[in-house]
């Protein structure tokens, strides 16, 4: 005798897959739509939640399928900004983080694409963790479903700027974003979804070729190969000139304006010369610049004070591109850019970073 048949993990099926699976059960197509709604829009974590399904159908579902979900371990609210950092546990025990950032009518969710990150940027707590594995598509999506369920409000904006490098988990990220964007999924407009890369060129080329409609952000952080390689080892493989060529190719299509992220590290990349080099690099390119004063994470870097940031802003003014300074929100809960370090429970004892709160508890 075989053991009990393995249950179908229905969140991993996608909409078309779910329809097909429901039809193999001999059920009508509208059943698939009901299920999809419960799973994606209402964030159901069990079949018993699905109160408008008949008891008989629910019993069938229980017998043949399972709903895997990220388990919420904690949700820490920031006193000063209203940002909330969610720590989730995957079915295999790995832990990842997402951040909910309310701002006026906007509710942005910053999501993770990998457990850890293998690119090892010196200033980033996730980089310090190293790489454990790629997240599956449903795990990427479930962060948004979970935040929606826990906050009781539909997110309006998504940024793939949490743990991990999205272009090294390209397919799963794009599948998840498609459901977020789907009018019958989470219905978040494609211009309200941003993917941030440390400059993984093959991913950027694919993103360009496939004409993905989402916004693109590139973490530049330094304007010379010497410095960039020092703080972002990925630059050895994908140096600045090649990266800029790929960005220019992306920018050729109308309406595509890339955002460059530039983490300001006091005394390292915030001098007048750094500003001039940045100007030279970006001249003529339709772009925006996000200056992110370094958030205390790893690597012993210094955050520049407001005066220094102001000076840098003045220096890059000739660019005439929109420049914003992102004084990150949620630093008091270790949820600002670069501070995410959700780890395995067995790694919890060693603080992954010395943030303002002394690391993750
Ligand atoms: N791996 C992708 C996306 C996640 S990182 C990437 O690197 O683009 C999101 C952003 O946080 C990047 O722009 C990164 O440069 C920035 N960042 C990392 N550590 C930081 C820190 N300590 N302070 C401020 N920004 C940081
Ligand atoms: Fe990875 Fe981005 Fe952190 Fe660099 S900044 S280590 S690419 S998550």
């Amino acid at each position: 005798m075989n053991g009990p048949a393995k249950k179908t993990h229905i969140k991993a099926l996608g909409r078309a897959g779910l329809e097909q699976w429901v039809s193999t059960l001999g059920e009508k197509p509208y059943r698939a739509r009901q299920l999809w709604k419960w799973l994606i829009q209402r964030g159901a974590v069990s079949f018993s939640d699905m109160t408008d399904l008949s008891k008989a159908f629910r019993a069938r579902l229980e017998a043949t399928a399972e709903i895997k979900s990220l388990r919420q371990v904690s949700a820490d609210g920031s006193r000063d900004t209203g940002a909330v950092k969610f720590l989730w546990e995957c079915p295999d025990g790995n832990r990842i983080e997402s951040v909910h950032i309310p701002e006026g009518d906007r509710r942005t969710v910053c999501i993770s694409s990998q457990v850890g990150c293998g690119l090892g940027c010196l200033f980033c707590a996730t980089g310090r963790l190293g790489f454990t594995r790629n997240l599956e598509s449903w795990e990427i999506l479930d962060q948004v479903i979970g935040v929606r369920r826990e906050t009781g409000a539909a997110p309006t904006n998504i940024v793939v700027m949490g743990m991990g490098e999205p272009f090294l988990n390209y397919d799963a990220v794009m599948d998840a974003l498609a459901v977020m964007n789907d009018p019958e999924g989470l219905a978040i407009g494609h211009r309200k979804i941003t993917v941030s890369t440390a400059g993984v060129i093959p991913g950027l080329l694919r993103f360009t070729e496939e004409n993905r409609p989402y916004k693109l952000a590139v973490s530049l952080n330094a304007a010379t190969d010497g410095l960039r390689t020092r703080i972002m080892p990925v630059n050895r493989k994908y140096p600045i000139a090649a990266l800029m060529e790929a960005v220019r190719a992306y920018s050729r299509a109308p309406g595509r304006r890339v955002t460059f992220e530039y983490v300001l590290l006091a005394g390292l990349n915030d001098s007048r010369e750094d500003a001039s080099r940045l100007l030279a690099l970006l001249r003529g390119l339709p772009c925006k610049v996000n200056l992110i004063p370094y958030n205390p994470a790893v690597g012993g870097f210094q955050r520049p004070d407001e005066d220094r940031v102001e000076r840098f802003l003045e220096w890059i003014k000739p660019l005439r591109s929109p420049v914003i300074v992102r004084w990150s929100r949620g630093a008091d809960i270790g949820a600002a850019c670069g501070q995410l370090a959700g780890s395995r429970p067995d790694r919890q004892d060693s603080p992954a970073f010395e943030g303002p709160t002394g690391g993750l508890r």
Side-chain angles (χ1 to χ4, degrees):
M1 263 309 270
N2 291 328
K6 201 168 172 295
K7 291 186 175 182
T8 302
H9 169 20
I10 52 172
K11 267 190 192 164
L13 294 177
R15 184 141 68 98
L18 190 65
E19 273 164 25
Q20 206 181 354
W21 179 76
V22 164
S23 78
T24 63
L25 289 183
E27 296 281 348
K28 301 236 162 60
Y30 79 92
R31 291 290 194 202
R33 286 197 294 277
Q34 277 180 313
L35 258 175
W36 177 258
K37 225 176 173 157
W38 274 112
L39 293 172
I40 307 299
Q41 296 173 348
R42 302 202 201 159
V45 293
S46 73
F47 294 114
S48 56
D49 288 347
M50 305 181 175
T51 44
D52 61 354
L53 302 188
S54 72
K55 274 221 172 101
F57 184 42
R58 271 191 271 162
R60 245 177 118 210
L61 288 169
E62 299 277 6
T64 50
E66 62 177 343
I67 304 175
K68 288 190 194 178
S69 297
L70 297 179
R71 186 178 72 79
Q72 184 189 313
V73 178
S74 60
D76 287 334
S78 153
R79 277 172 300 278
D80 55 358
T81 61
V84 178
K85 180 173 77 173
F86 290 89
L87 176 63
W88 310 105
E89 187 167 276
C90 301
D92 68 354
N94 279 299
R95 292 181 171 195
I96 55 165
E97 293 176 329
S98 329
V99 187
H100 181 245
I101 310 155
E103 207 173 11
D105 291 342
R106 194 189 290 200
R107 289 175 301 278
T108 302
V109 187
C110 175
I111 56 172
S112 296
S113 55
Q114 298 181 315
V115 182
C117 181
L119 296 186
C121 301
L122 260 54
F123 44 81
C124 171
T126 309
R128 160 75 70 89
L129 290 175
F131 175 72
T132 300
R133 69 168 173 84
N134 277 332
L135 288 178
E136 292 177 26
S137 172
W138 74 269
E139 292 170 317
I140 298 168
L141 176 63
D142 218 42
Q143 296 169 60
V144 185
I145 293 174
V147 169
R148 177 175 173 152
R149 181 179 57 236
E150 297 305 323
T151 60
T156 58
N157 294 64
I158 301 295
V159 293
V160 191
M161 295 186 183
M163 301 165 67
E165 167 51 45
F167 281 173
L168 291 178
N169 188 15
Y170 189 93
D171 292 316
V173 167
M174 293 304 150
D175 285 352
L177 295 185
V179 180
M180 295 177 210
N181 182 221
D182 184 348
E184 304 208 23
L186 294 175
I188 299 171
H190 56 86
R191 305 304 297 168
K192 303 206 163 162
I193 297 176
T194 304
V195 182
S196 174
T197 178
V200 173
I201 294 178
L204 212 162
L205 296 178
R206 230 182 122 186
F207 191 78
T208 304
E209 272 160 27
E210 294 174 358
N211 228 336
R212 297 284 174 178
Y214 315 114
K215 293 207 287 187
L216 176 70
V218 174
S219 302
L220 194 56
N221 300 340
T224 64
D225 280 322
L227 179 59
R228 196 164 189 270
T229 298
R230 228 171 95 205
I231 60 174
M232 298 181 71
V234 66
N235 191 71
R236 206 165 290 138
K237 195 161 180 193
Y238 305 118
I240 293 177
L243 174 59
M244 292 307 293
E245 198 181 304
V247 171
R248 281 178 201 280
Y250 166 82
S251 307
R252 248 168 239 139
R256 283 193 187 151
R257 184 195 284 261
V258 66
T259 296
F260 289 101
E261 292 154 295
Y262 192 94
V263 179
L264 283 168
L265 306 161
L268 204 63
N269 67 358
D270 66 344
S271 71
R272 177 161 215 147
E273 291 69 47
D274 293 311
S276 315
R277 290 190 197 106
L278 186 61
L279 274 178
L281 211 53
L282 305 188
R283 192 158 283 143
L285 192 66
C287 65
K288 293 189 214 170
V289 177
N290 269 4
L291 297 178
I292 317 173
Y294 167 72
N295 296 304
V298 289
F301 297 99
Q302 295 294 320
R303 162 182 268 209
D305 61 26
E306 279 184 46
D307 288 349
R308 273 183 103 123
V309 174
E310 281 302 317
R311 257 186 347 188
F312 198 82
L313 267 174
E314 276 304 308
W315 290 330
I316 60 169
K317 236 184 193 159
L319 201 56
R320 291 200 305 246
S321 301
V323 179
I324 62 159
V325 181
R326 205 159 80 207
W327 292 100
S328 294
R329 296 149 64 82
D332 61 330
I333 49 166
C337 301
Q339 295 186 323
L340 300 186
S343 55
R344 288 189 68 94
D346 54 19
R347 283 209 223 138
Q348 290 274 302
D349 297 340
S350 54
F353 68 93
E354 294 298 326
T357 53
L360 284 172
R361 283 161 300 272

